[in-house]
Each structure stands twice: as structure tokens, then as C-alpha cells.
Amino acid sequence: MGTAERRETAGDGTAAREATRQQAAPATRTSDEAGRRADGGPAREAAEARAAYRPLWVEEPARRRRLPDPVRTAAVRAVLIIAVTLIQAMVALLCTLAGSWLAFPMVISSVVSTIAATWAVLDVWVTRQVWNQRHGVVSTPSSTARALRRERRQARRERRQARRAQRAAGRERARIRRRGGAGQLSHP
């Protein structure tokens, strides 16, 4: 899919398909006419192939949000450990069936690896819970993190207003001092 087509997509990919069809249609007509004039063989087949052109993929918006970086890192680590554990278990099984001396060490390493894989899965779960607790859970209306954010926002707003009022009062005092007291009602 070219850059121009990607820019024209409206999110569901229909505009890209329409743009591709519009681009392919004039080329089809000219090639088709040239094919008819000649022998009607390869030119016609090429035109039909261009008319049936579809982009390889259509970009769609993600249905779910991307995992936070620490959670994704823990998940990748867990998947790798689980994959190694499964490979070790298969090697242990095959060594046992073959009667190899390597069977016992592989069984022991498979047990240890299974414990590590369980730990890795728990690490993903704990990392996700910690991240949600620190950064707020968006999905639940009674989220304590949201209430904390609201309180912090209100406190910031109040501090800003107090600073503005102090600056305005300071500017007013400076203006009165520059005028030398002019504009005061109690001036003699």
C-alpha cells in the first residue's frame, strides 16, 4: 500500500480500496484496448490482473489499547520462559523414551523451569496490578486513582489562582508606588 493510499484511508480502509480501483480502472481500459487491437492474449491477462488488484492489508484501528511497557516486557519474558520450559519438557520426554542418560537432568531442569515459568506468569500479573494502581484504572468509575487525580488537579488550580492574585496585588502596589500615591482618595 503506497503512501498516498495510506493518507486517504478513513479508518476502515474503504477510501484506499476506492482509490486503488480508480487508479486501476484507466490503466485497465488502455491496456484492454491495446490487447483487443493486437491478438487479445497477454495484454488482456495483464489488464485483468491489474483490475483484480487489492492492497495486501487494510489498516484498522486497534481494538484494544497497547499494554504498558513494563507489563509488555514481563509478558515477553514470561512467553520466552514458557517456550524454553516446553522445549525442555519435550526433550526430557524424548530422552526418557530413548533411555538416554540425559533424561534425569532434563526432568530436573524441566521441573525448575516450570517453577520459573509460573513465577514469570505471576510477575506479569503483579506488574499489571502495580501499573494500574500507580497510573489509575480508567475503566472503573469508582477508581481511587481518578479521585486522587481530581484532588491534585483542584489543588493545582487553587495554587495557580492564589499566585495570580498575589501577582496582581503586587502589580497594583507597584503601580501605586510609581504614581507616587496619585489616585488615592485620602490624598491631601
Side-chain angles (χ1 to χ4, degrees):
M1 177 183 291
T3 309
E5 292 170 356
R6 194 173 300 127
R7 284 191 193 118
E8 293 175 357
T9 56
D12 59 351
T14 55
R17 282 190 224 113
E18 293 302 319
T20 307
R21 287 187 190 130
Q22 290 171 359
Q23 292 168 355
T28 303
R29 280 186 225 118
T30 57
S31 298
D32 202 11
E33 291 170 4
R36 282 187 200 136
R37 278 187 232 132
D39 60 349
R44 175 173 274 174
E45 290 173 9
E48 290 172 359
R50 265 187 247 118
Y53 170 76
R54 290 186 328 196
L56 290 177
W57 67 85
V58 177
E59 292 181 20
E60 297 177 359
R63 290 191 182 117
R64 293 177 60 185
R65 281 186 171 176
R66 178 176 154 160
L67 284 175
D69 286 341
V71 179
R72 197 166 10 132
T73 303
V76 168
R77 188 182 320 121
V79 166
L80 291 174
I81 291 172
I82 290 170
V84 168
T85 302
L86 290 173
I87 291 170
Q88 283 181 334
M90 280 302 298
V91 170
L93 176 73
L94 294 174
C95 287
T96 303
L97 291 175
S100 173
W101 63 271
L102 197 57
F104 181 71
M106 287 307 295
V107 168
I108 298 298
S109 70
S110 293
V111 170
V112 171
S113 196
T114 302
I115 294 169
T118 305
W119 190 266
V121 170
L122 284 173
D123 180 46
V124 173
W125 184 70
V126 169
T127 306
R128 184 171 173 262
Q129 295 300 325
V130 168
W131 194 91
N132 283 339
Q133 190 173 11
R134 285 184 184 164
H135 297 90
V137 183
V138 180
S139 60
T140 56
S142 62
S143 170
T144 56
R146 183 177 292 136
L148 288 173
R149 281 197 308 258
R150 191 179 304 124
E151 290 172 10
R152 284 191 219 123
R153 203 177 308 126
Q154 182 67 28
R156 272 196 310 262
R157 195 176 300 133
E158 290 170 0
R159 283 192 303 255
R160 265 189 251 132
Q161 288 173 350
R163 279 184 281 190
R164 283 185 196 137
Q166 286 175 349
R167 283 193 301 251
R171 283 193 302 265
E172 184 68 26
R173 278 187 251 125
R175 187 175 57 82
I176 290 172
R177 272 191 238 118
R178 278 193 308 265
R179 286 185 173 178
Q184 291 181 350
L185 294 176
S186 61
H187 193 64

PDB file of all heavy atoms in Angstrom, residues 24-34 36 47:
ATOM      1  N   ALA A  24      -6.621   1.851 -10.949  1.00  0.00           N
ATOM      2  CA  ALA A  24      -6.506   0.669 -11.792  1.00  0.00           C
ATOM      3  C   ALA A  24      -7.446   0.733 -12.998  1.00  0.00           C
ATOM      4  O   ALA A  24      -7.149   0.176 -14.048  1.00  0.00           O
ATOM      5  CB  ALA A  24      -6.798  -0.586 -10.986  1.00  0.00           C
ATOM      6  N   ALA A  25      -8.568   1.435 -12.883  1.00  0.00           N
ATOM      7  CA  ALA A  25      -9.563   1.455 -13.948  1.00  0.00           C
ATOM      8  C   ALA A  25      -9.033   2.075 -15.242  1.00  0.00           C
ATOM      9  O   ALA A  25      -9.181   1.473 -16.313  1.00  0.00           O
ATOM     10  CB  ALA A  25     -10.824   2.161 -13.478  1.00  0.00           C
ATOM     11  N   PRO A  26      -8.399   3.270 -15.237  1.00  0.00           N
ATOM     12  CA  PRO A  26      -7.899   3.817 -16.510  1.00  0.00           C
ATOM     13  C   PRO A  26      -6.828   2.933 -17.137  1.00  0.00           C
ATOM     14  O   PRO A  26      -6.800   2.744 -18.353  1.00  0.00           O
ATOM     15  CB  PRO A  26      -7.314   5.170 -16.128  1.00  0.00           C
ATOM     16  CG  PRO A  26      -7.935   5.529 -14.821  1.00  0.00           C
ATOM     17  CD  PRO A  26      -8.247   4.230 -14.159  1.00  0.00           C
ATOM     18  N   ALA A  27      -5.964   2.381 -16.302  1.00  0.00           N
ATOM     19  CA  ALA A  27      -4.921   1.510 -16.844  1.00  0.00           C
ATOM     20  C   ALA A  27      -5.543   0.274 -17.475  1.00  0.00           C
ATOM     21  O   ALA A  27      -5.059  -0.236 -18.486  1.00  0.00           O
ATOM     22  CB  ALA A  27      -3.954   1.112 -15.738  1.00  0.00           C
ATOM     23  N   THR A  28      -6.614  -0.215 -16.936  1.00  0.00           N
ATOM     24  CA  THR A  28      -7.280  -1.397 -17.459  1.00  0.00           C
ATOM     25  C   THR A  28      -7.858  -1.103 -18.835  1.00  0.00           C
ATOM     26  O   THR A  28      -7.722  -1.892 -19.756  1.00  0.00           O
ATOM     27  CB  THR A  28      -8.401  -1.838 -16.499  1.00  0.00           C
ATOM     28  OG1 THR A  28      -7.823  -2.060 -15.235  1.00  0.00           O
ATOM     29  CG2 THR A  28      -9.069  -3.100 -16.989  1.00  0.00           C
ATOM     30  N   ARG A  29      -8.496   0.061 -18.967  1.00  0.00           N
ATOM     31  CA  ARG A  29      -9.123   0.389 -20.247  1.00  0.00           C
ATOM     32  C   ARG A  29      -8.081   0.521 -21.355  1.00  0.00           C
ATOM     33  O   ARG A  29      -8.264  -0.016 -22.438  1.00  0.00           O
ATOM     34  CB  ARG A  29      -9.917   1.689 -20.113  1.00  0.00           C
ATOM     35  CG  ARG A  29     -11.249   1.463 -19.478  1.00  0.00           C
ATOM     36  CD  ARG A  29     -12.073   2.736 -19.501  1.00  0.00           C
ATOM     37  NE  ARG A  29     -12.654   2.884 -18.191  1.00  0.00           N
ATOM     38  CZ  ARG A  29     -12.433   3.889 -17.358  1.00  0.00           C
ATOM     39  NH1 ARG A  29     -11.686   4.891 -17.727  1.00  0.00           N
ATOM     40  NH2 ARG A  29     -12.986   3.920 -16.183  1.00  0.00           N
ATOM     41  N   THR A  30      -6.978   1.230 -21.076  1.00  0.00           N
ATOM     42  CA  THR A  30      -5.984   1.425 -22.137  1.00  0.00           C
ATOM     43  C   THR A  30      -5.316   0.116 -22.500  1.00  0.00           C
ATOM     44  O   THR A  30      -5.110  -0.172 -23.670  1.00  0.00           O
ATOM     45  CB  THR A  30      -4.926   2.454 -21.697  1.00  0.00           C
ATOM     46  OG1 THR A  30      -4.334   1.996 -20.488  1.00  0.00           O
ATOM     47  CG2 THR A  30      -5.540   3.827 -21.493  1.00  0.00           C
ATOM     48  N   SER A  31      -4.993  -0.698 -21.502  1.00  0.00           N
ATOM     49  CA  SER A  31      -4.362  -1.984 -21.795  1.00  0.00           C
ATOM     50  C   SER A  31      -5.335  -2.910 -22.491  1.00  0.00           C
ATOM     51  O   SER A  31      -4.951  -3.689 -23.361  1.00  0.00           O
ATOM     52  CB  SER A  31      -3.877  -2.634 -20.495  1.00  0.00           C
ATOM     53  OG  SER A  31      -2.922  -1.813 -19.891  1.00  0.00           O
ATOM     54  N   ASP A  32      -6.606  -2.829 -22.117  1.00  0.00           N
ATOM     55  CA  ASP A  32      -7.608  -3.696 -22.708  1.00  0.00           C
ATOM     56  C   ASP A  32      -7.793  -3.346 -24.187  1.00  0.00           C
ATOM     57  O   ASP A  32      -7.906  -4.234 -25.037  1.00  0.00           O
ATOM     58  CB  ASP A  32      -8.918  -3.557 -21.947  1.00  0.00           C
ATOM     59  CG  ASP A  32      -9.809  -4.753 -22.140  1.00  0.00           C
ATOM     60  OD1 ASP A  32      -9.338  -5.775 -22.678  1.00  0.00           O
ATOM     61  OD2 ASP A  32     -10.988  -4.661 -21.755  1.00  0.00           O
ATOM     62  N   GLU A  33      -7.792  -2.041 -24.498  1.00  0.00           N
ATOM     63  CA  GLU A  33      -7.926  -1.646 -25.889  1.00  0.00           C
ATOM     64  C   GLU A  33      -6.715  -2.087 -26.697  1.00  0.00           C
ATOM     65  O   GLU A  33      -6.850  -2.549 -27.829  1.00  0.00           O
ATOM     66  CB  GLU A  33      -8.095  -0.123 -25.969  1.00  0.00           C
ATOM     67  CG  GLU A  33      -9.419   0.346 -25.416  1.00  0.00           C
ATOM     68  CD  GLU A  33      -9.454   1.859 -25.271  1.00  0.00           C
ATOM     69  OE1 GLU A  33      -8.487   2.520 -25.675  1.00  0.00           O
ATOM     70  OE2 GLU A  33     -10.468   2.353 -24.757  1.00  0.00           O
ATOM     71  N   ALA A  34      -5.513  -1.983 -26.109  1.00  0.00           N
ATOM     72  CA  ALA A  34      -4.310  -2.420 -26.819  1.00  0.00           C
ATOM     73  C   ALA A  34      -4.354  -3.926 -27.036  1.00  0.00           C
ATOM     74  O   ALA A  34      -3.931  -4.424 -28.082  1.00  0.00           O
ATOM     75  CB  ALA A  34      -3.066  -2.035 -26.012  1.00  0.00           C
ATOM     76  N   ARG A  36      -7.056  -5.742 -27.439  1.00  0.00           N
ATOM     77  CA  ARG A  36      -8.022  -6.058 -28.480  1.00  0.00           C
ATOM     78  C   ARG A  36      -7.438  -5.785 -29.861  1.00  0.00           C
ATOM     79  O   ARG A  36      -7.703  -6.511 -30.805  1.00  0.00           O
ATOM     80  CB  ARG A  36      -9.284  -5.214 -28.292  1.00  0.00           C
ATOM     81  CG  ARG A  36     -10.163  -5.732 -27.202  1.00  0.00           C
ATOM     82  CD  ARG A  36     -11.472  -4.969 -27.180  1.00  0.00           C
ATOM     83  NE  ARG A  36     -12.086  -5.134 -25.889  1.00  0.00           N
ATOM     84  CZ  ARG A  36     -12.651  -4.195 -25.184  1.00  0.00           C
ATOM     85  NH1 ARG A  36     -12.706  -2.973 -25.650  1.00  0.00           N
ATOM     86  NH2 ARG A  36     -13.182  -4.436 -24.018  1.00  0.00           N
ATOM     87  N   ALA A  47      -4.207  -6.831 -17.949  1.00  0.00           N
ATOM     88  CA  ALA A  47      -5.239  -5.869 -17.571  1.00  0.00           C
ATOM     89  C   ALA A  47      -6.188  -6.479 -16.547  1.00  0.00           C
ATOM     90  O   ALA A  47      -6.585  -5.817 -15.584  1.00  0.00           O
ATOM     91  CB  ALA A  47      -6.007  -5.413 -18.805  1.00  0.00           C
TER      92      ALA A  47
END
